[in-house]
Amino acid sequence: MDRLLSLWQGSGLYNLSPGQAAMIGVGLLLLFLAINKKFEPLLLVPIGFGGILANIPEAGLALSAAEQAVHLGSAALLERFAEVLGVTLDPAAGIESWRHALGDALHAGSAPQALRAADDLAVGAGFNDGMLYSFYSVAIASGVAPLVIFMGVGAMTDFGPLLANPRTLFLGAAAQFGIFATLLGAVGMTTLGWMDFSLEQAAAIGIIGGADGPTSIYVSSLLAPELLGAIAVASYSYMALVPLIQPPIMRALTTARERRIVMTQLRPVSRLEKILFPLVLLLLVVLFLPDAAPLLGMFCFGNLMRESGVVERLSDTAQNALINITTIFLGLSVGSKLQADKFLALETLGILGLGVVAFGIGTACGVLMAKLMNGVSRMPINPLIGSAGVSAVPMAARVSNKVGLDYNPQNFLLMHAMGPNVAGVIGSAVAAGVMIKYLG
Amino acid sequence: MDDQQLLNEGLGLMGFGMGFVFVFLTLLVIATTLMSRAVTRWAPAPVADEAPSRRPPAADDDGELMAVIAAAVHRHRRRHRR
């Protein structure tokens, strides 16, 4: 009978907390959106599945060794933890509240040396880091996975349309206003007392407006790792929703005549220009913004591999095999941040809300900038390509093309929109560099 | 941090950040334009060499072809509208 009881007490059903059940539901919802609705399936499938894995009760896949030891260890071990972390345990309170107090001490308010000592203690007692926790430390905490993905994106990007019409870079710059407006929104919500975001957290939330998954993961891993799960989920979900969010804004801000503007054919761009461009960009980063060097450096490197034409095999690996492998681990690691006690908070709702606003403002600013440029320049510019200034390559450019075709079936804007689109990638990486410089 | 101070910091970061993004991309526009000009001026090699020999006839052909296609499309549309 005793054994039956211990089996029951070790089961998932006995230990499942309502929060974990809710998060498993969220994981299933992400899988449903990815599989049935085709929302960014490449990322939402691993994220959703990782989220389910992270919330399996008692398995502790997303916990560090110390967290697991505090959760599962014996009373004697807990007392040693209390000593190391400098927590006083109330002997009358019972073991469950001890676990709680020690868990809180691990999450916040302990000195780095104390945390390291606690980790050593846990490993000494035979506990190991959970699988997802290890993935997270290797892939995201180190910053590697987003940067490798950025290299792959660089290797996939053709800067031809941008080089043919470099002024579209301004559209990519204007759309980054979404990032900073959202930052201000998050700060404003804190001032009003609705939420409690620090400036670092507000900056990490703002980057969602850059519509660039790897950039937002990179920035939040540096500035606000505790919000990473919510930020990554918001970022990728809204990227999937670009075709729904953008067109109404684009229609509202332009007249039917502007939407019919036909743009002049892009000039051909020579191979030498394409080879030199990543080097020029890198030079500017070196001179003016070394903080964006990790992101833009990898991006330029990937692009140079593509355009140089002499390392076909490396370029092919960066675009396909390597980016796919990295995506798997990145997705699972983001999923590990979907733990109930961290994700189910009012802040998450705030982040999801601010994310939509960020996208909307970025789109609107891009369109308005394109209208302005159309007004002052001799070359006609269709304002619809402005919305592609938010990154989200190539989805945002396709949206511009589609809306353009609705009003003039002969007007193919895709190549024209690719210019601002890749400019948006550069713009959001620059904005990320500024944030890291200012707050890091 | 005080609320007011936080808001000021936020505003400062917004102004600084947006300004820097624009300055950086403006520099990139200038650098790219200069680079493109330099390339077309000093190293126009393959494109310029082939252009004179190939393009003029191709353009003529295209014009004729476009006219034929346009006429065909026009006729097709008229026939199907009725």
Side-chain angles (χ1 to χ4, degrees):
Chain A
M1 192 60 206
D2 267 359
R3 283 198 191 139
L4 210 61
L5 198 66
S6 75
L7 197 66
W8 164 239
Q9 284 177 347
S11 72
L13 202 56
Y14 177 81
N15 288 294
L16 188 70
S17 70
Q20 285 170 329
M23 285 314 294
I24 289 178
V26 170
L28 290 172
L29 175 72
L30 291 179
L31 287 180
F32 170 77
L33 291 177
I35 297 169
N36 200 25
K37 303 274 178 194
K38 305 276 186 311
F39 275 17
E40 293 281 322
L42 290 177
L43 276 140
L44 287 190
V45 168
I47 291 178
F49 205 84
I52 296 174
L53 289 179
N55 285 289
I56 296 176
E58 301 303 287
L61 289 172
L63 299 180
S64 70
E67 285 169 318
Q68 297 213 37
V70 165
H71 195 66
L72 301 169
S74 62
L77 185 65
L78 292 186
E79 275 165 6
R80 282 170 66 198
F81 264 105
E83 212 171 292
V84 168
L85 291 169
V87 180
T88 41
L89 297 178
D90 177 11
I95 196 159
E96 282 309 315
S97 75
W98 288 10
R99 292 190 200 284
H100 206 73
L102 288 171
D104 286 348
L106 279 178
H107 284 237
S110 292
Q113 309 92 291
L115 288 180
R116 220 167 298 137
D119 230 31
D120 289 345
L121 189 61
V123 173
F127 290 95
N128 285 316
D129 289 339
M131 171 189 76
L132 291 177
Y133 182 86
S134 303
F135 287 171
Y136 178 83
S137 17
V138 171
I140 295 185
S142 65
V144 165
L147 295 177
V148 170
I149 291 203
F150 230 60
M151 177 176 76
V153 172
M156 285 191 235
T157 302
D158 177 10
F159 280 115
L162 180 70
L163 284 165
N165 191 3
R167 275 175 299 170
T168 51
L169 275 165
F170 289 122
L171 301 175
Q176 305 315 317
F177 189 70
I179 291 181
F180 295 100
T182 310
L183 175 137
L184 207 63
V187 168
M189 282 166 102
T190 308
T191 317
L192 291 173
W194 296 353
M195 304 270 160
D196 188 21
F197 295 124
S198 67
L199 195 59
E200 284 82 1
Q201 291 176 328
I205 296 166
I207 290 285
I208 298 175
D212 196 318
T215 309
S216 35
I217 290 176
Y218 183 74
V219 172
S220 57
S221 75
L222 288 177
L223 298 180
E226 63 281 4
L227 297 180
L228 195 139
I231 288 176
V233 168
S235 188
Y236 283 113
S237 322
Y238 293 140
M239 270 164 78
L241 289 176
V242 158
L244 294 180
I245 298 175
Q246 286 197 322
I249 301 173
M250 292 156 73
R251 287 200 193 95
L253 291 174
T254 52
T255 62
R257 219 185 55 160
E258 284 170 328
R259 291 191 285 262
R260 282 196 213 99
I261 293 176
V262 179
M263 293 181 64
T264 43
Q265 181 94 39
L266 293 171
R267 71 174 174 88
V269 174
S270 75
R271 187 171 152 240
L272 186 60
E273 281 174 80
K274 288 187 178 178
I275 294 175
L276 287 176
F277 180 76
L279 297 173
V280 169
L281 177 56
L282 187 64
L283 187 74
L284 284 182
V285 171
V286 169
L287 292 178
F288 299 106
L289 192 62
D291 285 276
L295 281 169
L296 285 175
M298 290 306 273
F299 189 66
C300 292
F301 175 54
N303 192 250
L304 185 65
M305 288 200 289
R306 169 202 177 91
E307 299 299 351
S308 67
V310 290
V311 283
E312 208 60 52
R313 293 184 349 200
L314 303 188
S315 157
D316 179 58
T317 304
Q319 300 181 34
N320 299 298
L322 187 57
I323 204 170
N324 291 342
I325 293 169
T326 315
T327 302
I328 292 175
F329 288 104
L330 184 82
L332 286 174
S333 311
V334 169
S336 81
K337 286 282 163 182
L338 301 187
Q339 291 167 63
D341 48 342
K342 289 164 193 160
F343 192 82
L344 288 180
L346 194 61
E347 271 75 22
T348 304
L349 280 182
I351 291 169
L352 290 173
L354 285 166
V356 179
V357 176
F359 258 61
I361 296 179
T363 305
C365 285
V367 172
L368 291 176
M369 184 73 182
K371 281 181 80 148
L372 180 74
M373 284 172 66
N374 185 40
V376 296
S377 92
R378 267 170 292 131
M379 221 161 58
I381 291 174
N382 189 318
L384 292 178
I385 69 168
S387 65
V390 303
S391 334
V393 181
M395 188 91 83
R398 284 200 201 126
V399 170
S400 295
N401 188 45
K402 191 171 164 295
V403 178
L405 286 178
D406 286 347
Y407 290 88
N408 177 357
Q410 255 91 55
N411 194 6
F412 292 95
L413 293 172
L414 186 65
M415 284 327 270
H416 296 283
M418 280 315 280
N421 213 183
V422 296
V425 178
I426 299 174
S428 48
V430 172
V434 174
M435 301 275 202
I436 294 166
K437 168 105 206 143
Y438 199 91
L439 300 168
Chain B
M1 203 187 283
D2 186 46
D3 274 354
Q4 191 55 45
Q5 202 186 338
L6 184 71
L7 198 63
N8 287 343
E9 284 271 317
L11 277 171
L13 181 52
M14 182 164 109
F16 176 73
M18 210 50 216
F20 195 89
V21 169
F22 260 99
V23 169
F24 188 90
L25 290 187
T26 309
L27 287 172
L28 188 59
V29 171
I30 296 170
T32 311
T33 315
L34 289 179
M35 186 267 288
S36 289
R37 254 189 224 157
V39 167
T40 39
R41 183 150 176 209
W42 286 303
V47 181
D49 283 353
E50 287 167 20
S53 58
R54 279 190 198 169
R55 267 194 201 157
D60 278 22
D61 278 356
D62 270 358
E64 208 168 298
L65 194 64
M66 288 311 280
V68 171
I69 291 174
V73 167
H74 187 64
R75 216 152 142 198
H76 175 85
R77 283 212 181 126
R78 256 211 323 213
R79 199 178 300 156
H80 281 257
R81 209 172 286 156
R82 278 166 202 167

